[in-house]
């Protein structure tokens, strides 16, 4: 250890060593004398001396390099377990506190020596990138701005992720939050063939993750029929993992409710189709009511358009029929006294 290119934890360094000459019946051991390790920082070529990376590559070479012994840049393994006959020894370093820089690349060398004072050749090496920093993730669709709000539709999920070295995976899970349903609080099961597919209990939430497409700018495919029915509520959760195995510390999460039921509106004034003029009261000449059923029962915005049938002109913002004929109504904002059904 480490055994992978990207590493997030390095409490000890460990491995095996074996003298290839074979077993000596008179010495029933592996005949290894010791194992030492050396670590080089690639960016400047310096070597670890057990405390810091202060030994330059020139010093390393001038003081004997790979053949030097003893030297501060060759740190002895603290545990060596002898095996019988030709079996290897298992060695490890003492717990280490090494000043590694996130995102930097290092080469670790392990050198064994037998009782005849021979060093192994070639010296074993392993390159690793130090990455203890977890990735970050963000949702764009659904956007954080619609958290705990009602939306008309959501075709795909998408967002971004970032890491100081390299990303490995972006995952999502979807929780069903509609109150009073058998699936409430459960998670979507990508593998299930039975609608509505929310069969994963909260206790097994870790099995509900499914992969997104791509990494830095990720998305999903469109969802099936369970998605988007009126008054259905969901929570989308996203996380990322980097190549060192670090997961996002704070997952991205947005909760929302679908509202696909269109509201209805009614004209109260004027109240008949034959009038001699608008019965204005102060600045109010047109009024009515609006109703959102089914839905959340709140109408938060209304607008009105008036078309003059004689020439097709639409009422403009100045109170005159000044907008030329067009296919789209010229909607003017109306005042909603208080959001609700009114």
């Amino acid at each position: 250890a480490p055994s992978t290119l990207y590493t997030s934890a390095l409490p000890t360094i460990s491995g095996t060593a074996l003298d290839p000459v074979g077993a000596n019946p008179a010495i029933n051991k592996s005949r290894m004398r010791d194992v030492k390790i050396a670590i080089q920082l690639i960016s400047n070529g310096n070597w670890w001396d057990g405390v810091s990376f202060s030994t330059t590559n020139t010093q390393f070479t001038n003081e004997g390099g790979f053949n030097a012994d003893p030297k501060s840049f060759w740190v002895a393994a603290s545990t060596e377990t002898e095996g019988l006959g030709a079996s290897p020894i298992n060695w490890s370093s003492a717990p280490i506190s090494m000043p590694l820089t996130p995102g930097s690349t290092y080469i670790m060398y392990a050198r064994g020596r037998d009782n005849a004072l021979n060093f192994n050749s070639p010296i074993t090496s392993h390159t690793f990138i130090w990455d203890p920093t977890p990735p970050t993730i963000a949702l764009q669709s659904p956007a954080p701005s619609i958290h705990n709000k009602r939306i008309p539709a959501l075709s795909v999920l998408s967002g971004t992720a970032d890491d100081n070295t390299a990303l490995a995976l972006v995952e999502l899970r979807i929780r069903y939050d509609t109150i009073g349903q058998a699936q409430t609080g459960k998670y979507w099961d990508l593998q299930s063939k039975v609608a509505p597919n929310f069969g994963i209990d909260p206790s097994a939430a870790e099995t509900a993750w499914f992969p997104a497409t791509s990494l830095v700018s990720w998305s999903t495919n469109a969802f099936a029929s369970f998605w988007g029915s009126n008054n259905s509520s969901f929570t989308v959760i996203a996380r990322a993992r980097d190549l060192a195995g670090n997961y996002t510390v704070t997952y991205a999460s947005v909760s929302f409710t679908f509202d696909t039921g269109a509201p209805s509106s009614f004209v109260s004034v004027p109240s008949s189709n034959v009038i001699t003029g608008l019965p204005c009261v102060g600045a109010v000449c047109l009024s009515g009511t609006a109703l959102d059923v089914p839905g959340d029962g709140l109408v938060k915005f209304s607008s009105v358009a008036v078309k003059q049938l004689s020439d097709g002109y639409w009422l403009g913002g100045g109170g005159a029929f000044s907008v030329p004929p067009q296919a789209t109504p010229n909607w003017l904002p109306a005042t909603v006294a208080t959001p609700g059904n009114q």
Side-chain angles (χ1 to χ4, degrees):
S3 59
T4 59
L5 176 60
Y6 292 89
T7 302
S8 62
L10 197 64
T12 62
I13 299 172
S14 61
T16 61
L18 174 68
D19 184 3
V21 174
N24 183 342
I27 305 175
N28 198 22
K29 293 184 178 181
S30 67
R31 298 191 295 165
M32 290 298 301
R33 181 182 181 90
D34 57 42
V35 174
K36 294 185 178 182
I37 56 176
I39 301 176
Q40 184 182 31
L41 172 62
I42 295 300
S43 61
N44 61 12
N46 284 6
W47 295 79
W48 183 50
D49 61 6
V51 177
S52 64
F53 286 88
S54 58
T55 300
T56 67
N57 195 47
T58 299
Q59 289 176 285
F60 177 85
T61 302
N62 291 341
E63 294 181 26
F66 291 109
N67 296 317
D69 191 80
K71 287 294 180 181
S72 62
F73 44 78
W74 281 110
V75 180
S78 66
T79 301
E80 298 175 11
T81 305
E82 293 280 6
L84 297 178
S87 62
I89 65 168
N90 298 305
W91 60 267
S92 64
S93 68
I96 58 177
S97 178
M98 195 178 300
L100 301 176
T101 303
S104 293
T105 303
Y106 300 83
I107 300 180
M108 180 191 68
Y109 297 90
R111 187 188 67 184
R113 182 171 57 165
D114 63 15
N115 287 320
L117 304 184
N118 299 305
F119 291 129
N120 65 284
S121 180
I123 293 177
T124 303
S125 66
H126 175 73
T127 301
F128 67 92
I129 298 173
W130 179 243
D131 180 17
T133 307
T136 59
I137 195 164
L139 277 164
Q140 293 180 330
S141 177
S145 60
I146 63 103
H147 182 60
N148 287 333
K149 295 183 180 179
R150 302 176 71 87
I151 61 174
L154 185 65
S155 58
V156 298
L157 309 178
S158 64
T160 59
D162 187 42
D163 188 63
N164 69 329
T165 54
L167 291 164
L169 179 69
V170 171
E171 296 179 305
L172 301 104
R173 64 186 179 193
I174 305 172
R175 189 179 67 225
Y176 188 72
D177 291 341
T178 306
I179 297 175
Q181 303 297 314
Q183 298 83 21
T184 302
K186 295 185 177 182
Y187 293 85
W188 186 50
D189 185 356
L190 178 65
Q191 306 303 321
S192 175
K193 305 300 181 183
V194 180
N197 301 326
F198 287 89
I200 300 178
D201 290 325
S203 60
E206 284 301 303
T207 67
W209 295 106
F210 61 93
T213 301
S214 194
L215 297 172
V216 175
S217 181
W218 55 266
S219 63
T220 65
N221 296 322
F223 288 94
S225 58
F226 76 84
W227 189 256
S229 58
N230 193 45
N231 279 329
S232 57
S233 300
F234 302 89
T235 295
V236 172
I237 306 167
R239 71 178 182 182
R241 187 186 74 207
D242 64 22
L243 288 175
N246 300 304
Y247 277 97
T248 310
V249 175
T250 303
Y251 298 168
S253 176
V254 174
S255 301
F256 55 91
T257 299
F258 284 112
D259 184 355
T260 61
S264 301
S265 59
F266 309 91
V267 176
S268 300
V269 177
S271 59
S272 66
N273 59 357
V274 178
I275 59 175
T276 58
L278 292 177
C280 298
V281 177
V284 178
C285 297
L286 302 173
S287 63
T289 59
L291 179 68
D292 186 19
V293 176
D296 67 346
L298 295 179
V299 176
K300 299 179 180 179
F301 178 78
S302 293
S303 56
V304 62
V306 182
K307 182 179 182 179
Q308 186 167 265
L309 298 180
S310 60
D311 56 11
Y313 271 67
W314 293 90
L315 182 66
F321 289 92
S322 57
V323 179
Q326 58 187 29
T328 304
N330 184 50
W331 294 108
L332 300 174
T335 300
V336 178
T338 303
N341 289 323
Q342 52 190 333

